[in-house]
Amino acid sequence: MTQLLTGEAPSAPGEDPQSSHLDPGPNMAPLLLLLAAWLLGARALSDAEDANPRERLFLRSLGLPERPRPAGGHQPPRRPIPSQLWRMFRRSENAQARESDPCTVSEYGVRGNIIRYVQDQGRLVSGWSSSCQACLEKQLFLNMTVLQPVELLSLAQLEIKLPWKPLRPAELLQGPRAVSMSLYKVIRATLRGADPQANRRLLLSQSVQLRPEPAAITMDLTALAEGWRKPGHNYGLVVELSPLSAHPDEFLPFLPGNTFPREAALTFPLIEASLVVVSLNPHQCRSRQRRSAVHLPVTPSNVCKARRLYIDFKDVGWQDWIIAPQGYMANYCHGECPFPLSESLNGTNHAILQTLVHSLDPQGTPQPCCVPIRLSPISMLYYDNNDNVVLRHYQDMVVDECGCR
């Protein structure tokens, strides 16, 4: 396990061979303590022993009730990673972003440290609308139970795309085609034989120009999504497309069992929907000091300082659900706090007095502990159990500086 803990930067020659353990100082970051305790026994686990209490404890500290198990198993899930989340993750890695507030999502202007793309789990009703012969109707279901009760919902923004591929290349030269899109909230379940329109409330109606590369149609559904978090309150949405044409039969969709429509007809676009959900876990969001560049010393020394500790997620079997990063430099604190404490050891007045008393009575008074005094966050991009892509910011995951306390 020493190879895992030291990662790509093994202990320098002459360094204490026991320096691969974490100092149990009173101010040690809880997340790093839990992670290190679990990593010490991670390689001894088999697949049948994944109920390791240390792993569960660490996952809970990350706000995860259990280890995510995407539907793809050990193979990469098929859900694509939204380009917006990739950009946000890359931005979080640069130094300027680390200086900003980790509990604010600047891209959306709201408070939050968790961003999810909740995928639509609905289906086509039949390809035909019950209220319009030449319309296309699709149910949308966006599962809000993926949020934990402690999370505060800041934003739920619906994104709908209508990818459209003309049957003939010449149709691209005829100018954009248009459809009318209506979005309904389903108020209650519809009994068989009843009119579904009676259980719907119109949320949005607008015309949409059909292009091969459509822009996303967005709508703020924060208040509605907050209600969906309660059991039995989410009956989904319905999207209805109808043609804006003098000849509506030109937009007839494919009929069940037919391979091609008649020559003059065009297919409706597909309907792709997802819900961008931003939430805040207040237990993982605290004020912190601004981070500066950190250069860990590599020369042998027994005094208190930050040591290199690289965590590789593949070594602990998390590569099937963590998208990025593949690992990170967590670091840890180790070393002595000798008398007299120099200014470089960042000792408190109490620590200075304690080292003085220790020098007079080494058996009765211990030395101060070497602990982290400045930590910085990391961001993780991963799949949850429903194959939703999640971007999450975690504070206090990297030891930047150590001191005597």
Side-chain angles (χ1 to χ4, degrees), residues 51-362:
N52 186 317
R54 286 173 294 187
E55 180 183 18
R56 291 200 306 269
L57 185 60
F58 179 66
L59 288 170
R60 282 199 297 269
S61 69
L62 293 179
L64 300 172
E66 60 183 0
R67 181 189 185 280
R69 299 187 183 280
H74 293 286
Q75 300 299 323
R78 291 176 294 179
R79 294 287 191 186
I81 302 168
S83 57
Q84 175 75 345
L85 279 190
W86 266 122
R87 288 193 295 268
M88 294 171 67
F89 174 76
R90 295 303 181 195
R91 190 186 69 83
S92 70
E93 291 186 311
N94 64 53
Q96 183 177 1
R98 288 176 181 143
E99 297 285 344
S100 61
D101 184 0
C103 300
T104 298
V105 182
S106 58
E107 287 80 0
Y108 295 102
V110 296
R111 296 280 291 168
N113 52 9
I114 309 169
I115 305 98
R116 293 179 175 89
Y117 265 68
V118 178
Q119 300 291 335
D120 168 38
Q121 299 176 4
R123 60 183 178 85
L124 280 173
V125 176
S126 63
W128 294 96
S129 169
S130 58
S131 60
C132 174
Q133 180 66 17
C135 299
L136 181 69
E137 184 176 289
K138 187 180 188 301
Q139 293 178 340
L140 304 182
F141 184 79
L142 302 154
N143 185 6
M144 288 296 292
T145 63
V146 295
L147 275 70
Q148 299 298 308
V150 70
E151 296 178 38
L152 306 177
L153 180 62
S154 300
L155 174 70
Q157 179 175 283
L158 179 67
E159 291 189 358
I160 299 178
K161 293 183 179 180
L162 304 177
W164 178 65
K165 184 177 181 180
L167 293 180
R168 299 181 300 273
E171 291 163 2
L172 284 172
L173 304 177
Q174 298 175 5
R177 299 292 183 118
V179 295
S180 174
M181 187 191 78
S182 299
L183 178 67
Y184 298 90
K185 171 191 174 182
V186 181
I187 302 174
R188 63 181 67 86
T190 303
L191 299 177
R192 181 176 299 179
D195 180 10
Q197 297 296 324
N199 298 322
R200 299 177 182 177
R201 180 166 61 86
L202 183 65
L203 299 177
L204 173 71
S205 180
Q206 70 178 66
S207 62
V208 181
Q209 300 296 324
L210 297 182
R211 297 182 176 89
E213 299 296 333
I217 303 163
T218 61
M219 182 177 182
D220 190 337
L221 296 182
T222 306
L224 182 59
E226 182 64 50
W228 285 347
R229 300 180 67 179
K230 303 174 184 177
H233 284 67
N234 187 358
Y235 294 102
L237 306 169
V238 171
V239 177
E240 185 179 89
L241 300 182
S242 59
L244 287 178
S245 170
H247 304 285
D249 59 336
E250 292 183 0
F251 288 84
L252 287 176
F254 288 107
L255 297 175
N258 290 355
T259 304
F260 298 100
R262 63 188 178 85
E263 184 178 355
L266 302 176
T267 59
F268 269 104
L270 298 175
I271 300 175
E272 298 178 354
S274 61
L275 193 68
V276 181
V277 178
V278 180
S279 61
L280 177 72
N281 185 332
H283 299 331
Q284 296 175 336
C285 197
R286 302 175 301 279
S287 61
R288 61 177 179 86
Q289 296 179 345
R290 295 170 66 88
R291 183 183 183 185
S292 57
V294 178
H295 304 283
L296 300 185
V298 295
T299 54
S301 174
N302 288 328
V303 299
C304 174
K305 66 179 181 181
R307 316 281 172 155
R308 296 174 185 268
L309 167 64
Y310 182 78
I311 304 298
D312 190 334
F313 292 130
K314 184 176 181 180
D315 285 343
V316 296
W318 284 3
Q319 74 280 1
D320 62 326
W321 62 276
I322 294 182
I323 303 169
Q326 297 179 350
Y328 77 103
M329 191 69 73
N331 305 326
Y332 67 100
C333 293
H334 180 77
E336 297 180 356
C337 296
F339 174 79
L341 282 182
S342 64
E343 184 176 348
S344 63
L345 294 180
N346 301 303
T348 60
N349 289 336
H350 179 274
I352 294 173
L353 289 175
Q354 187 173 338
T355 57
L356 174 61
V357 176
H358 172 77
S359 66
L360 300 175
D361 181 17

